[in-house]
Structure formats: C-alpha cells, structure tokens
Amino acid sequence: MIKKIILLACIPIALSNCVMVKGYEKVNINDPDMELSEKLCDRNITVFHSYREAAAGANGGKTGGGCGCN
Amino acid sequence: MGVADAINLKFTRYDTPFFYKTMTTTKYLFFICLFMVCGICHAQNSVQNNDAYKKRVLETAEIDLLSSYYSQDGNNAAVTGGRGTEELTDITGTLVISIPINDDDVLTVDTGISAYTSASSSNINPFDKGFADPFIAASGASRDDTWYNLTGIYSHSSDDRNSIWSAKLSYSTEYDYSSLGFGGSYTRLFNEKNTELGLSANVFLDKWKIIYPYELRPFAPGGRGLNDFLFLENTITGNPDYNPSFNVLTDENRNSYSLGIGLSQILSKNIQGGLLADFVLQQGLLSTPFQRVYFSDVADSFIDNFHLADDIERLPDSRFKIALGGRLNFFLNEYLVVRTYYRYYFDDWGINSNTLSIELPVKIADKFTLYPSYRFYNQKAADYFAPYNEHLSTSLFYTSDYDLSDYNANQFGFGINYTNIILRQNKLKLGLKSVDLKYSYYERTNGLSAGIVTAGFKFVVN
C-alpha cells in the first residue's frame, strides 16, 4: 500500500518534466501558502511532535539530535 | 499648405535665407533624432544590464519572533515505568534574525529559550517531600528545566540564483543534555526554476549528564544499598528485600548523522509538489537514563504508593531511521489553497509510522487568511516496548516509554494570519509584516492529550 502511494506520488513528478511554467506564469505558485516547506510559525509544533512521536524527518524539521528527544 | 507643398518649398527655396533656416531646423531634428537613437540604444543597453542586475536575495533584515505555550496530560509517564502522570507545560520563545550581508549572502541567527515544568521528571526523586505516588508531582529540582539554543546559518546564492549553499553551526544546552551541531546544504534549481534538488547533511554531537532514578543510586558502585538513608527513613512494602540488579551506563554521548534529499517540482501553474527523504544514523546512549522499567518476574517493592524501579530503560546503542515524505499543494482559486503532506517512517527498532496532514488556507480578506488543519499519525511500537510491569528481567533491551508504543494520534488545528504588505515604520525602523496565531489540539489513543498555542510575528527592518 505504502509503495503504491509513493509510486503514485512519483508519477506526476516524472511526467512534469514536460511541463515548463514560465516565470510570469508563477503568480499562483509564488503565493506564500504554496510554499512546500513548513511555515516558520509551525516550528514549535514540529518540535513537540519530535518529542512525543517516534518518527521524525522528511518534513524540513529536525531529524534528531540537539535535544533529548528521538 | 500640404506636406507635398512644404517639401517643394523646402527644395525650391534652398538658396534663400529660409533654406538656411530650414537646414538649421533639420540639423536640430537630426541631432534630436540622433540623441533619441542614442537614448534608445542606451535604454537597450540598460535593459541588457538589467538582465545582469542581481536582485538581492534578501532586501532588508528580517526579524521573526516566535512563541508557544504547550500543555499535555496523560497517565503513562516513562519516568515512572509507563504508569504515572505525564502532566507537562512548556513555554518557548524564539528569535530569528536574517541579515543580508551583500546581494548574495544571508546570515541567519536563530536563538531560543524553552522553559518547561514536568510532573513526570519531578518523579526522578518522588521521595523528596510528602507521600510518594507516580500520579502526584514531586517538588524536586528535576521538576523544571530550561533549554537554550543558538544557531547560525550562512547561505550564499549564485549570480543566476540557481544554486544555493548554506552552512550551519548550532549549540544547545539544558541541565542534563548538551548538543553541538554542524551541517550544510546545497540546492540546485533547474528548468527555469521549475525543478529544485536539494541535499543536506547534519551532524549532532550530544552529551548526557546522566541522572538515575533516585532509589537506584544507592545500588551504583560505591552506594550503600539498603543502608542508604532513603531506605532507613522509609518503610519498604511488598518485597522488603529490594535489590535491583542495576548496572551504571558507560556511554554519555549520543551522535546523530543525517543525510537529506529533497526534490520539488512545479507541476502546473497551480500545483507543485515535492519528495523528501531523510536517512539518520544515531549512535551512543539512545535511552533516557532516568526512565524506569519494572519486571513482571521480579517481586515488587514500594515506598508509599511508589513502585521502586527494577532497572532503567535499556535500548540498543545504534538506530538507523528512514523517513520518506511528500508534499502536494494546490492553488484552487484566489480564496483557497490546499496543502497536503504524507510521510512514511521506519527504523531498525521495529517502528514504522504514517503521517498524513491537510491544511486549507482560506483567504477571507486582503490581509487575513484562516488556516484550518488536520493531521493523522499512527505508529507501530518498538520491538523493545512493553507496558508497565510486563517486561522480563532476562531481556537485553526494554522500555516502557509510551512515545515508543503502538498508537494513533489526531491533531486538529486552527490558525489565522495577518499580512501587511504596506509597512508602517516606527521609531525603531521596524515594520510589522505579518502576524500568525494558531491553536492545535492533539490526542493519542493511549490517553495522552496536548494543546499548543503558537504565535509568530515577522518584522522588517527599514
């Protein structure tokens, strides 16, 4: 199931090599809410997740180290 | 007089004073035209120069002020072996200052303080005052602590802004833990900045100041065992011959090495996505020295209502973790954006987990955006986990930390953002650019619940 989800996620990205969005067409893409990284104001939420959950990483946040968590 | 007549007049009267006057006018027109052509050429050159002109990576210094208040409660504290109060509150303040050094380089200084009060940590020594009970907080020094952090990041962007590298150095400390971290990243943009590939590597060299549960300390080398003041002053009930087979830890270090890979792609004018992978190797002391464990095959001993520890948590000295994540964001229309995230995580301790989150930014006005969100998380327990008093003394590794147990978690969040594009200056030359407020409620199926309020203020230095 997990492999299928990852595979499905990869397909549109692989196909997207054919798509070229010009700089002047990126008005919507450049919207602050479209940023792929986590917002700075959510950082402390990610920190508490890293304390209370075994999983960490792959979200732009810490992957371990620097605190007694994980 | 028509145009043709004028031309005829011009060419028929070349020998008259008017001819000279006309020639003078023509000269003026010629020079004006020449000037205009030169001007246009100059303008063309200017346009070409504009292509070479580099927009600063960061126009002016920015200051982010973040704060949060976190509160949790539950009944499975790891300090008391999986049974006991988990009540904890934490207040965090963070200051992030980004300073443009020149057109290409930015220095970011990130400093934070986190002060917490923990009922479970207080029970490292539950005998300091009053009646010892895992569900009642003690009043000892371990009840609260403060964590300090300082991080510096220097980043450099290439002239064409298609490659960015950064270097990071960090240090953090609290009473029983300190950490030195360093790392770097490299990001490359392709396909007219439609594709972004990033690599990052980080190393954390952490050190514990080892603190054991209070009742185990007399059984460390040089300790007085049952002749310790604790046992002379208090009566042991249950098994009175309390004699834990306690061995002290020899390693105080915890080192983490991480490698991250990220690929993001603009899929259309309204969709972009990204894949992230993190590989982390941790070595050293990966258990928490003051977390108790109770064995089902050892007779139980108590002081008051407090079960005396059979041992501390023991975990392998190595852990390899892999996290694979993906984000997909959709700009549905000028009012609504959909932000989605999924992560699959697994490690060699037998834990695997799924994280799924969705956030729906709703722009309700020019300056205001609402952020309802939902996050689902589940995990399979570590191979070494068992609940309170269910471990066997013959096992090599054991923990009753419910953060490593089987559970599902749901988190509901709601936030609001205010963004002011036209900045007002004040005497400090600071302009408030945006304000974020958010509340999230988190609940696990094993009984732990938590709430966190976060606030973020972004200032621009004029």
Side-chain angles (χ1 to χ4, degrees), chain A residues 1-2 5 38 45 48-49 53 55 59, chain B residues 324 326 339-345 352-359 372-380 406-413 440-446:
Chain A
M1 180 63 184
I2 301 302
I5 292 169
E38 222 168 14
I45 297 174
F48 111 70
H49 287 151
E53 297 173 349
N59 59 1
Chain B
L324 306 170
R339 292 167 57 85
T340 62
Y341 173 70
Y342 171 76
R343 174 182 64 190
Y344 178 68
Y345 167 94
N352 62 64
S353 84
N354 297 281
T355 309
L356 189 65
S357 74
I358 183 167
E359 187 176 50
S373 63
Y374 170 72
R375 178 180 184 273
F376 172 79
Y377 175 87
N378 75 352
Q379 73 176 39
K380 180 180 168 293
D406 264 321
Y407 67 84
N408 296 342
N410 294 285
Q411 179 179 300
F412 302 90
S440 297
Y441 176 74
Y442 179 88
E443 193 168 61
R444 293 198 321 207
T445 48
N446 58 16

Short mmCIF file of all heavy atoms in Angstrom, two decimals, chain A residues 1-2 5 38 45 48-49 53 55 59, chain B residues 324 326 339-345 352-359 372-380 406-413 440-446:
data_model
loop_
_atom_site.label_atom_id
_atom_site.label_comp_id
_atom_site.label_asym_id
_atom_site.label_seq_id
_atom_site.Cartn_x
_atom_site.Cartn_y
_atom_site.Cartn_z
N MET A 1 0.84 -1.21 0.00
CA MET A 1 0.00 0.00 0.00
C MET A 1 0.87 1.26 0.00
O MET A 1 0.66 2.17 -0.79
CB MET A 1 -0.90 -0.03 1.24
CG MET A 1 -1.82 1.17 1.36
SD MET A 1 -2.98 1.25 -0.01
CE MET A 1 -3.80 2.78 0.36
N ILE A 2 1.87 1.25 0.91
CA ILE A 2 2.76 2.40 1.02
C ILE A 2 3.54 2.60 -0.27
O ILE A 2 3.68 3.73 -0.77
CB ILE A 2 3.74 2.19 2.20
CG1 ILE A 2 2.98 2.00 3.52
CG2 ILE A 2 4.69 3.38 2.31
CD1 ILE A 2 2.05 3.14 3.88
N ILE A 5 1.45 4.22 -2.86
CA ILE A 5 1.26 5.66 -2.63
C ILE A 5 2.48 6.44 -3.10
O ILE A 5 2.37 7.45 -3.79
CB ILE A 5 0.97 5.93 -1.14
CG1 ILE A 5 -0.39 5.36 -0.76
CG2 ILE A 5 1.02 7.43 -0.84
CD1 ILE A 5 -0.67 5.34 0.72
N GLU A 38 7.75 23.79 5.54
CA GLU A 38 6.87 24.07 6.67
C GLU A 38 6.99 25.54 7.06
O GLU A 38 8.07 26.12 6.96
CB GLU A 38 7.27 23.20 7.85
CG GLU A 38 6.09 22.65 8.56
CD GLU A 38 6.48 21.56 9.53
OE1 GLU A 38 7.67 21.42 9.84
OE2 GLU A 38 5.60 20.87 9.98
N ILE A 45 5.45 23.35 16.82
CA ILE A 45 4.54 22.19 16.74
C ILE A 45 5.34 20.97 16.28
O ILE A 45 5.20 19.87 16.83
CB ILE A 45 3.37 22.50 15.79
CG1 ILE A 45 2.55 23.67 16.33
CG2 ILE A 45 2.49 21.27 15.60
CD1 ILE A 45 1.46 24.16 15.41
N PHE A 48 7.40 19.60 19.17
CA PHE A 48 6.67 18.77 20.14
C PHE A 48 6.33 17.40 19.53
O PHE A 48 6.35 16.37 20.22
CB PHE A 48 5.46 19.52 20.72
CG PHE A 48 4.10 19.04 20.32
CD1 PHE A 48 3.60 17.83 20.78
CD2 PHE A 48 3.29 19.82 19.51
CE1 PHE A 48 2.33 17.40 20.42
CE2 PHE A 48 2.02 19.40 19.16
CZ PHE A 48 1.54 18.18 19.61
N HIS A 49 6.11 17.35 18.20
CA HIS A 49 5.91 16.04 17.56
C HIS A 49 7.17 15.19 17.70
O HIS A 49 7.08 13.98 17.93
CB HIS A 49 5.60 16.22 16.06
CG HIS A 49 4.22 16.76 15.81
ND1 HIS A 49 3.91 17.52 14.69
CD2 HIS A 49 3.07 16.67 16.51
CE1 HIS A 49 2.64 17.87 14.74
NE2 HIS A 49 2.11 17.36 15.83
N GLU A 53 6.53 11.65 19.43
CA GLU A 53 6.35 10.60 18.42
C GLU A 53 7.71 9.99 18.08
O GLU A 53 8.73 10.68 18.12
CB GLU A 53 5.69 11.18 17.17
CG GLU A 53 4.28 11.72 17.45
CD GLU A 53 3.68 12.45 16.26
OE1 GLU A 53 4.41 12.74 15.30
OE2 GLU A 53 2.47 12.72 16.32
N ALA A 55 8.60 8.92 15.15
CA ALA A 55 9.02 9.30 13.80
C ALA A 55 9.44 10.76 13.75
O ALA A 55 8.91 11.59 14.46
CB ALA A 55 7.89 9.06 12.81
N ASN A 59 10.30 16.31 6.76
CA ASN A 59 9.33 17.40 6.81
C ASN A 59 10.02 18.76 6.91
O ASN A 59 9.40 19.76 7.20
CB ASN A 59 8.36 17.21 7.99
CG ASN A 59 9.08 17.17 9.32
OD1 ASN A 59 10.30 17.29 9.37
ND2 ASN A 59 8.33 17.00 10.38
N LEU B 324 10.45 9.03 4.57
CA LEU B 324 10.17 9.40 3.19
C LEU B 324 8.89 10.22 3.19
O LEU B 324 7.86 9.76 3.69
CB LEU B 324 9.98 8.16 2.32
CG LEU B 324 11.12 7.13 2.35
CD1 LEU B 324 10.71 5.84 1.65
CD2 LEU B 324 12.36 7.72 1.70
N GLY B 326 6.25 13.37 1.25
CA GLY B 326 5.86 14.05 0.03
C GLY B 326 4.86 15.15 0.34
O GLY B 326 4.02 15.02 1.24
N ARG B 339 -3.06 22.34 1.05
CA ARG B 339 -1.69 21.88 1.34
C ARG B 339 -1.78 20.47 1.93
O ARG B 339 -2.47 20.25 2.93
CB ARG B 339 -1.02 22.80 2.37
CG ARG B 339 -0.73 24.20 1.86
CD ARG B 339 -0.37 25.14 3.01
NE ARG B 339 0.75 24.67 3.77
CZ ARG B 339 2.03 24.90 3.45
NH1 ARG B 339 2.32 25.62 2.40
NH2 ARG B 339 3.01 24.43 4.19
N THR B 340 -1.12 19.52 1.29
CA THR B 340 -1.18 18.14 1.77
C THR B 340 0.23 17.63 2.04
O THR B 340 1.19 18.08 1.43
CB THR B 340 -1.86 17.21 0.75
OG1 THR B 340 -1.08 17.18 -0.45
CG2 THR B 340 -3.27 17.67 0.44
N TYR B 341 0.31 16.66 2.95
CA TYR B 341 1.61 16.09 3.31
C TYR B 341 1.42 14.65 3.73
O TYR B 341 0.46 14.31 4.43
CB TYR B 341 2.23 16.90 4.46
CG TYR B 341 3.49 16.29 5.03
CD1 TYR B 341 4.67 16.28 4.30
CD2 TYR B 341 3.50 15.75 6.31
CE1 TYR B 341 5.83 15.71 4.81
CE2 TYR B 341 4.66 15.20 6.84
CZ TYR B 341 5.82 15.18 6.08
OH TYR B 341 6.96 14.64 6.60
N TYR B 342 2.35 13.80 3.29
CA TYR B 342 2.34 12.40 3.73
C TYR B 342 3.78 11.98 4.02
O TYR B 342 4.70 12.36 3.31
CB TYR B 342 1.74 11.47 2.67
CG TYR B 342 1.93 10.02 3.04
CD1 TYR B 342 1.14 9.43 4.02
CD2 TYR B 342 2.94 9.27 2.46
CE1 TYR B 342 1.34 8.13 4.41
CE2 TYR B 342 3.16 7.95 2.85
CZ TYR B 342 2.35 7.39 3.82
OH TYR B 342 2.57 6.10 4.22
N ARG B 343 3.96 11.18 5.07
CA ARG B 343 5.29 10.66 5.40
C ARG B 343 5.18 9.21 5.85
O ARG B 343 4.28 8.84 6.61
CB ARG B 343 5.92 11.48 6.52
CG ARG B 343 7.26 10.89 7.01
CD ARG B 343 7.84 11.69 8.15
NE ARG B 343 6.98 11.63 9.33
CZ ARG B 343 7.15 12.39 10.41
NH1 ARG B 343 8.12 13.29 10.44
NH2 ARG B 343 6.35 12.27 11.45
N TYR B 344 6.10 8.40 5.33
CA TYR B 344 6.25 7.04 5.83
C TYR B 344 7.60 6.96 6.51
O TYR B 344 8.61 7.41 5.96
CB TYR B 344 6.15 6.03 4.70
CG TYR B 344 6.36 4.61 5.18
CD1 TYR B 344 5.42 4.01 6.01
CD2 TYR B 344 7.50 3.89 4.83
CE1 TYR B 344 5.61 2.73 6.49
CE2 TYR B 344 7.70 2.60 5.30
CZ TYR B 344 6.75 2.03 6.13
OH TYR B 344 6.94 0.76 6.61
N TYR B 345 7.62 6.39 7.71
CA TYR B 345 8.84 6.32 8.51
C TYR B 345 9.06 4.89 8.97
O TYR B 345 8.10 4.20 9.33
CB TYR B 345 8.72 7.25 9.73
CG TYR B 345 9.77 7.03 10.78
CD1 TYR B 345 10.93 7.78 10.80
CD2 TYR B 345 9.62 6.05 11.76
CE1 TYR B 345 11.91 7.57 11.76
CE2 TYR B 345 10.58 5.81 12.71
CZ TYR B 345 11.73 6.58 12.71
OH TYR B 345 12.69 6.36 13.66
N ASN B 352 7.39 1.59 12.67
CA ASN B 352 7.04 2.22 11.40
C ASN B 352 5.81 3.08 11.62
O ASN B 352 5.00 2.80 12.52
CB ASN B 352 6.87 1.22 10.25
CG ASN B 352 5.77 0.24 10.50
OD1 ASN B 352 4.61 0.62 10.60
ND2 ASN B 352 6.12 -1.04 10.64
N SER B 353 5.70 4.13 10.85
CA SER B 353 4.60 5.07 11.09
C SER B 353 4.17 5.76 9.81
O SER B 353 4.93 5.81 8.82
CB SER B 353 5.02 6.14 12.11
OG SER B 353 5.72 7.18 11.47
N ASN B 354 2.95 6.25 9.85
CA ASN B 354 2.39 7.03 8.75
C ASN B 354 1.92 8.37 9.31
O ASN B 354 1.31 8.42 10.38
CB ASN B 354 1.19 6.31 8.13
CG ASN B 354 1.58 4.99 7.51
OD1 ASN B 354 2.10 4.94 6.42
ND2 ASN B 354 1.33 3.91 8.24
N THR B 355 2.21 9.42 8.56
CA THR B 355 1.75 10.76 8.94
C THR B 355 1.04 11.36 7.74
O THR B 355 1.56 11.31 6.62
CB THR B 355 2.93 11.67 9.31
OG1 THR B 355 3.75 11.02 10.27
CG2 THR B 355 2.45 13.00 9.86
N LEU B 356 -0.14 11.88 7.98
CA LEU B 356 -0.91 12.48 6.90
C LEU B 356 -1.47 13.80 7.40
O LEU B 356 -2.06 13.84 8.49
CB LEU B 356 -2.06 11.53 6.53
CG LEU B 356 -2.89 11.83 5.30
CD1 LEU B 356 -2.04 11.71 4.04
CD2 LEU B 356 -4.05 10.86 5.21
N SER B 357 -1.29 14.85 6.65
CA SER B 357 -1.86 16.12 7.11
C SER B 357 -2.41 16.92 5.94
O SER B 357 -1.95 16.79 4.80
CB SER B 357 -0.84 16.95 7.88
OG SER B 357 0.11 17.50 7.02
N ILE B 358 -3.39 17.71 6.26
CA ILE B 358 -4.00 18.58 5.25
C ILE B 358 -4.29 19.93 5.90
O ILE B 358 -4.75 19.99 7.05
CB ILE B 358 -5.27 17.95 4.64
CG1 ILE B 358 -5.83 18.85 3.54
CG2 ILE B 358 -6.32 17.64 5.69
CD1 ILE B 358 -6.88 18.18 2.69
N GLU B 359 -3.98 20.97 5.19
CA GLU B 359 -4.25 22.33 5.67
C GLU B 359 -4.94 23.08 4.55
O GLU B 359 -4.56 22.95 3.38
CB GLU B 359 -2.94 23.01 6.06
CG GLU B 359 -3.15 24.37 6.72
CD GLU B 359 -1.83 24.98 7.19
OE1 GLU B 359 -0.88 25.03 6.39
OE2 GLU B 359 -1.76 25.40 8.34
N PRO B 372 -7.46 26.28 8.84
CA PRO B 372 -7.91 25.03 9.47
C PRO B 372 -7.02 23.89 9.01
O PRO B 372 -6.59 23.86 7.84
CB PRO B 372 -9.35 24.87 8.94
CG PRO B 372 -9.38 25.63 7.67
CD PRO B 372 -8.36 26.74 7.78
N SER B 373 -6.72 22.96 9.93
CA SER B 373 -5.84 21.86 9.54
C SER B 373 -6.18 20.59 10.32
O SER B 373 -6.77 20.64 11.41
CB SER B 373 -4.37 22.23 9.78
OG SER B 373 -4.14 22.46 11.15
N TYR B 374 -5.81 19.48 9.74
CA TYR B 374 -5.99 18.18 10.39
C TYR B 374 -4.74 17.34 10.12
O TYR B 374 -4.20 17.36 9.01
CB TYR B 374 -7.24 17.46 9.88
CG TYR B 374 -7.32 16.03 10.36
CD1 TYR B 374 -7.63 15.74 11.69
CD2 TYR B 374 -7.05 14.97 9.49
CE1 TYR B 374 -7.67 14.44 12.13
CE2 TYR B 374 -7.10 13.66 9.94
CZ TYR B 374 -7.42 13.40 11.26
OH TYR B 374 -7.44 12.11 11.72
N ARG B 375 -4.32 16.59 11.12
CA ARG B 375 -3.15 15.73 10.98
C ARG B 375 -3.44 14.39 11.62
O ARG B 375 -3.95 14.32 12.75
CB ARG B 375 -1.94 16.38 11.65
CG ARG B 375 -0.65 15.56 11.61
CD ARG B 375 0.43 16.35 12.32
NE ARG B 375 1.73 15.70 12.27
CZ ARG B 375 2.17 14.80 13.13
NH1 ARG B 375 1.39 14.42 14.13
NH2 ARG B 375 3.38 14.29 13.02
N PHE B 376 -3.14 13.32 10.90
CA PHE B 376 -3.29 11.98 11.45
C PHE B 376 -1.91 11.33 11.53
O PHE B 376 -1.10 11.47 10.62
CB PHE B 376 -4.20 11.13 10.55
CG PHE B 376 -4.26 9.68 10.96
CD1 PHE B 376 -5.04 9.28 12.02
CD2 PHE B 376 -3.49 8.73 10.30
CE1 PHE B 376 -5.07 7.95 12.42
CE2 PHE B 376 -3.52 7.40 10.69
CZ PHE B 376 -4.31 7.01 11.75
N TYR B 377 -1.68 10.62 12.63
CA TYR B 377 -0.39 9.94 12.81
C TYR B 377 -0.64 8.59 13.43
O TYR B 377 -1.48 8.46 14.33
CB TYR B 377 0.51 10.78 13.73
CG TYR B 377 1.82 10.12 14.08
CD1 TYR B 377 2.92 10.25 13.25
CD2 TYR B 377 1.94 9.34 15.23
CE1 TYR B 377 4.13 9.63 13.57
CE2 TYR B 377 3.14 8.73 15.55
CZ TYR B 377 4.23 8.88 14.72
OH TYR B 377 5.42 8.27 15.03
N ASN B 378 0.03 7.57 12.95
CA ASN B 378 -0.01 6.29 13.66
C ASN B 378 1.39 5.68 13.68
O ASN B 378 2.24 6.03 12.85
CB ASN B 378 -1.05 5.33 13.08
CG ASN B 378 -0.61 4.71 11.77
OD1 ASN B 378 0.42 5.09 11.21
ND2 ASN B 378 -1.38 3.78 11.27
N GLN B 379 1.63 4.85 14.65
CA GLN B 379 2.93 4.16 14.68
C GLN B 379 2.79 2.77 15.29
O GLN B 379 1.90 2.52 16.11
CB GLN B 379 3.96 4.98 15.46
CG GLN B 379 3.78 5.02 16.96
CD GLN B 379 4.92 5.78 17.65
OE1 GLN B 379 5.38 6.80 17.16
NE2 GLN B 379 5.33 5.29 18.80
N LYS B 380 3.68 1.91 14.84
CA LYS B 380 3.78 0.56 15.40
C LYS B 380 4.88 0.62 16.46
O LYS B 380 5.89 1.30 16.27
CB LYS B 380 4.14 -0.42 14.28
CG LYS B 380 4.28 -1.85 14.69
CD LYS B 380 4.65 -2.69 13.48
CE LYS B 380 5.08 -4.09 13.89
NZ LYS B 380 6.35 -4.11 14.66
N ASP B 406 2.51 1.43 20.47
CA ASP B 406 1.50 1.45 19.39
C ASP B 406 0.48 2.52 19.70
O ASP B 406 -0.07 2.56 20.81
CB ASP B 406 0.73 0.11 19.41
CG ASP B 406 1.28 -0.90 18.43
OD1 ASP B 406 1.67 -0.51 17.33
OD2 ASP B 406 1.30 -2.09 18.79
N TYR B 407 0.18 3.37 18.77
CA TYR B 407 -0.95 4.30 18.97
C TYR B 407 -1.28 5.04 17.68
O TYR B 407 -0.48 5.07 16.73
CB TYR B 407 -0.65 5.31 20.10
CG TYR B 407 0.45 6.31 19.81
CD1 TYR B 407 0.17 7.48 19.11
CD2 TYR B 407 1.74 6.11 20.27
CE1 TYR B 407 1.17 8.40 18.85
CE2 TYR B 407 2.74 7.03 20.01
CZ TYR B 407 2.44 8.18 19.31
OH TYR B 407 3.42 9.08 19.04
N ASN B 408 -2.46 5.63 17.67
CA ASN B 408 -2.86 6.58 16.63
C ASN B 408 -2.98 7.95 17.30
O ASN B 408 -3.27 8.03 18.50
CB ASN B 408 -4.22 6.23 16.03
CG ASN B 408 -4.20 4.88 15.32
OD1 ASN B 408 -3.13 4.37 14.98
ND2 ASN B 408 -5.36 4.31 15.13
N ALA B 409 -2.79 8.99 16.51
CA ALA B 409 -2.96 10.34 17.06
C ALA B 409 -3.68 11.22 16.04
O ALA B 409 -3.44 11.12 14.83
CB ALA B 409 -1.60 10.96 17.39
N ASN B 410 -4.56 12.04 16.57
CA ASN B 410 -5.27 13.00 15.73
C ASN B 410 -4.97 14.40 16.23
O ASN B 410 -4.93 14.63 17.44
CB ASN B 410 -6.79 12.77 15.80
CG ASN B 410 -7.17 11.44 15.19
OD1 ASN B 410 -7.17 11.29 13.97
ND2 ASN B 410 -7.48 10.47 16.03
N GLN B 411 -4.76 15.30 15.29
CA GLN B 411 -4.49 16.69 15.68
C GLN B 411 -5.38 17.62 14.84
O GLN B 411 -5.40 17.52 13.61
CB GLN B 411 -3.03 17.04 15.43
CG GLN B 411 -2.69 18.49 15.78
CD GLN B 411 -1.22 18.80 15.56
OE1 GLN B 411 -0.35 18.18 16.16
NE2 GLN B 411 -0.93 19.73 14.67
N PHE B 412 -6.07 18.49 15.53
CA PHE B 412 -6.91 19.48 14.87
C PHE B 412 -6.34 20.86 15.15
O PHE B 412 -6.02 21.18 16.30
CB PHE B 412 -8.36 19.41 15.39
CG PHE B 412 -8.99 18.06 15.21
CD1 PHE B 412 -8.89 17.10 16.20
CD2 PHE B 412 -9.65 17.75 14.04
CE1 PHE B 412 -9.44 15.84 16.04
CE2 PHE B 412 -10.22 16.49 13.85
CZ PHE B 412 -10.12 15.54 14.86
N GLY B 413 -6.21 21.65 14.11
CA GLY B 413 -5.61 22.97 14.29
C GLY B 413 -6.42 24.06 13.62
O GLY B 413 -7.15 23.82 12.65
N SER B 440 -3.54 24.24 18.29
CA SER B 440 -3.66 22.84 17.85
C SER B 440 -3.98 21.97 19.05
O SER B 440 -3.36 22.11 20.11
CB SER B 440 -2.36 22.37 17.20
OG SER B 440 -2.09 23.11 16.04
N TYR B 441 -4.92 21.06 18.85
CA TYR B 441 -5.26 20.09 19.89
C TYR B 441 -4.85 18.70 19.39
O TYR B 441 -5.16 18.31 18.27
CB TYR B 441 -6.76 20.12 20.18
CG TYR B 441 -7.17 19.07 21.19
CD1 TYR B 441 -6.86 19.22 22.53
CD2 TYR B 441 -7.84 17.92 20.78
CE1 TYR B 441 -7.22 18.25 23.46
CE2 TYR B 441 -8.20 16.94 21.70
CZ TYR B 441 -7.89 17.11 23.03
OH TYR B 441 -8.22 16.14 23.94
N TYR B 442 -4.14 17.97 20.25
CA TYR B 442 -3.53 16.70 19.87
C TYR B 442 -4.00 15.63 20.84
O TYR B 442 -3.98 15.84 22.06
CB TYR B 442 -2.02 16.87 19.95
CG TYR B 442 -1.17 15.67 19.61
CD1 TYR B 442 -0.79 15.42 18.30
CD2 TYR B 442 -0.71 14.83 20.62
CE1 TYR B 442 0.04 14.34 18.00
CE2 TYR B 442 0.12 13.75 20.32
CZ TYR B 442 0.48 13.52 19.01
OH TYR B 442 1.30 12.45 18.71
N GLU B 443 -4.44 14.49 20.31
CA GLU B 443 -4.93 13.43 21.19
C GLU B 443 -4.46 12.08 20.67
O GLU B 443 -4.60 11.77 19.49
CB GLU B 443 -6.45 13.46 21.25
CG GLU B 443 -7.01 12.61 22.37
CD GLU B 443 -8.49 12.90 22.59
OE1 GLU B 443 -9.27 12.67 21.65
OE2 GLU B 443 -8.86 13.36 23.68
N ARG B 444 -3.88 11.28 21.59
CA ARG B 444 -3.43 9.95 21.23
C ARG B 444 -4.40 8.91 21.75
O ARG B 444 -5.06 9.12 22.77
CB ARG B 444 -2.04 9.67 21.84
CG ARG B 444 -0.97 10.51 21.26
CD ARG B 444 0.45 10.04 21.46
NE ARG B 444 0.84 9.44 22.72
CZ ARG B 444 2.10 9.48 23.19
NH1 ARG B 444 3.04 10.10 22.49
NH2 ARG B 444 2.41 8.90 24.31
N THR B 445 -4.44 7.77 21.08
CA THR B 445 -5.37 6.72 21.51
C THR B 445 -4.93 6.06 22.82
O THR B 445 -5.69 5.32 23.42
CB THR B 445 -5.50 5.65 20.41
OG1 THR B 445 -4.19 5.26 19.98
CG2 THR B 445 -6.30 6.15 19.23
N ASN B 446 -3.69 6.31 23.26
CA ASN B 446 -3.26 5.74 24.55
C ASN B 446 -3.47 6.72 25.70
O ASN B 446 -2.94 6.53 26.79
CB ASN B 446 -1.80 5.27 24.49
CG ASN B 446 -0.85 6.38 24.11
OD1 ASN B 446 -1.21 7.56 24.17
ND2 ASN B 446 0.35 6.03 23.71
#
